[in-house]
Amino acid sequence: MSLFASAMRQSLKSAVSRLSPQDCALCGGGTPHVVCGDCENALPRSGQLVCPRCAVELNVGESSEELCGACLVYSPHFDHTITAFRYDFPVDRLLQAYKFRAQLAFTHFLADALAKRVRDNRLLTQAALPDLILPTPLAAKRLAQRGFNQSALLGRTVASLLGIGFSADALTRVRETIPQTGLKRDERLKNVRGAFACNIDLGGKRVVIVDDVITTGATLSEAAKVLKQNGAVTVEAWACARTTYHEL
């Protein structure tokens, strides 16, 4: 059994034992779901007026057909971004519990919200779904410490919901990096430079990279660059949540 599969199985058992299916993760009220209907309806959803490249929210009066200032300056390698939520309270707490406290029972709830957003986006643009979903990879050391890759769990579930191909290990992290939290944009770009490799031919394929949160997009941009070097014709970034501003 692979390290990923073994760690994921252990983490799933631990998460299920800690979270009762009768308790809403946000308000604690009784519900047959991870999040009750009232709390779900109150979550901060991503808006429609967003940059088409990175999905950062735009100001009233700006055009969603034009790139935001940061994308014009830094020109990320991914082509389009879709996110389900704004990274505001309580979504930030939900994702932190999912990622850092192994509350993996949240996987389907988060993946379903992202899949619904993707479907809505496709209805608006009449664009076909991509061919392949890849998770943002963790380095082996961090995967061993955490016990699971939240992006892989999300990506696999979204792929199943949308009927898209999925590969857990086509994109790999070949260099250890320090956590991006607290780094400025230029530091983030430098930190992830040369950190990824792709081991399959993506010639002619439309590819998606899935992550939990997008801040500056530096990690996803570096991964997208590698995927395009391996033949991907387009690379989209899909994430559960997006910060409501660009961290410079």
Side-chain angles (χ1 to χ4, degrees), residues 133-155:
I133 289 179
L134 308 176
T136 304
L138 289 178
K141 181 179 179 180
R142 195 170 302 168
L143 177 59
Q145 291 172 339
R146 186 174 298 170
F148 65 99
N149 180 353
Q150 74 283 351
S151 299
L153 298 179
L154 289 167

Side-chain angles (χ1 to χ4, degrees), residues 12 98 103-112 150 153-154 157:
L12 280 170
Y98 178 57
Q103 295 287 4
L104 303 188
F106 299 164
T107 299
H108 193 276
F109 170 78
L110 294 168
D112 186 60
Q150 74 283 351
L153 298 179
L154 289 167
T157 307

Side-chain angles (χ1 to χ4, degrees), residues 144-187:
Q145 291 172 339
R146 186 174 298 170
F148 65 99
N149 180 353
Q150 74 283 351
S151 299
L153 298 179
L154 289 167
R156 187 184 298 277
T157 307
V158 171
S160 177
L161 290 170
L162 295 177
I164 300 174
F166 174 81
S167 175
D169 53 10
L171 180 66
T172 60
R173 191 179 289 257
V174 295
R175 184 174 64 78
E176 292 278 359
T177 59
I178 63 174
Q180 296 278 69
T181 304
L183 299 181
K184 296 187 181 298
R185 180 185 292 275
D186 288 342
E187 295 171 330

Side-chain angles (χ1 to χ4, degrees), residues 122-142:
R122 257 45 193 190
L123 289 174
L124 291 172
T125 64
Q126 297 182 336
L129 288 170
D131 303 302
L132 182 65
I133 289 179
L134 308 176
T136 304
L138 289 178
K141 181 179 179 180
R142 195 170 302 168

